[in-house]
Amino acid sequence: MNKVYAEHTISEWLREKDFEDLQALMMIDMDYFKQINDTYGHATGDQVLKIFAGFLKEQFRTTDIIGRVGGDEFMILMKNVRLDYSIHLHLQKLYTNLQNIDIPELNGRKLSCSIGCAVAPTDAESFSQLYRLADHALYTAKQNGRGRFVIYHDIKNQQETVLS
């Protein structure tokens, strides 16, 4: 989905949901994507984006909502997660699987990403609040060295997970 459609779909889902389970809004940003474009060219960069988008579709359920919201930034709503711990496990598995992607044009260079996440209803309930908090968590992940995920409610506990 593009940004507008993803935001609308997620917003509608959150508005209609009674929050029996957790809803995890994730902002995912490819680390150093500009360097890929600058080093290997835009055609390779476009191919990397397609591969990464396909990878994300494989890592999440068909019921989850996935959208590309910027050049190398994606938004995902992981619906109906029973435990907060499950979010951590899923993101750790995602990063492990990301390391298995081999793109010959990158000459052995592995992809990396930074992830910010906010959880409804734990952190907030509306799309705009979750988006702001997930974006803040993403910024924290990038500021602290990239290649990691940060869940918003863990920031106050000084917890983050290094993925590399």
Side-chain angles (χ1 to χ4, degrees):
M1 294 181 190
N2 66 27
K3 181 178 181 176
V4 172
Y5 190 59
E7 287 180 358
H8 173 75
T9 305
I10 292 169
S11 183
E12 288 297 310
W13 171 261
L14 292 171
R15 195 177 357 259
E16 295 172 7
K17 188 68 183 141
D18 60 6
F19 297 120
E20 291 175 14
D21 294 317
L22 301 173
Q23 315 299 311
L25 182 67
M26 302 170 193
M27 299 297 298
I28 301 178
D29 188 79
M30 292 181 62
D31 295 331
Y32 308 109
F33 181 71
K34 183 179 179 338
Q35 288 180 355
I36 291 172
N37 271 338
D38 292 348
T39 303
Y40 305 102
H42 290 278
T44 298
D46 289 347
Q47 185 64 20
V48 167
L49 282 174
K50 289 176 187 174
I51 290 169
F52 188 71
F55 166 78
L56 290 176
K57 284 179 72 173
E58 292 172 358
Q59 299 303 303
F60 291 91
R61 301 166 296 184
T62 57
T63 56
D64 295 331
I65 301 168
I66 303 172
R68 181 173 170 208
V69 296
D72 63 338
E73 193 168 78
F74 295 81
M75 178 188 310
I76 298 170
L77 181 71
M78 194 172 164
K79 297 179 182 178
N80 300 321
V81 182
R82 295 208 185 270
L83 302 170
D84 189 60
Y85 183 68
S86 298
I87 299 166
H88 285 82
L89 288 177
H90 192 86
L91 292 174
Q92 288 171 333
K93 180 181 173 189
L94 182 145
Y95 201 84
T96 298
N97 292 342
L98 182 61
Q99 297 310 297
N100 294 326
I101 295 176
D102 181 39
I103 302 172
E105 294 84 358
L106 297 184
N107 301 319
R109 179 180 181 166
K110 294 296 181 184
L111 298 180
S112 174
C113 65
S114 298
I115 304 169
C117 180
V119 180
T122 310
D123 299 322
E125 292 188 12
S126 73
F127 171 76
S128 61
Q129 292 171 320
L130 285 171
Y131 179 80
R132 183 175 47 82
L133 298 178
D135 195 52
H136 176 73
L138 173 62
Y139 178 78
T140 301
K142 292 171 75 170
Q143 187 178 37
N144 290 332
R146 302 178 194 235
R148 65 192 69 226
F149 69 83
V150 174
I151 297 177
Y152 180 78
H153 56 260
D154 291 341
I155 293 174
K156 56 190 159 215
N157 299 329
Q158 299 290 328
Q159 295 176 351
E160 62 184 46
T161 303
V162 178
L163 298 169
S164 52

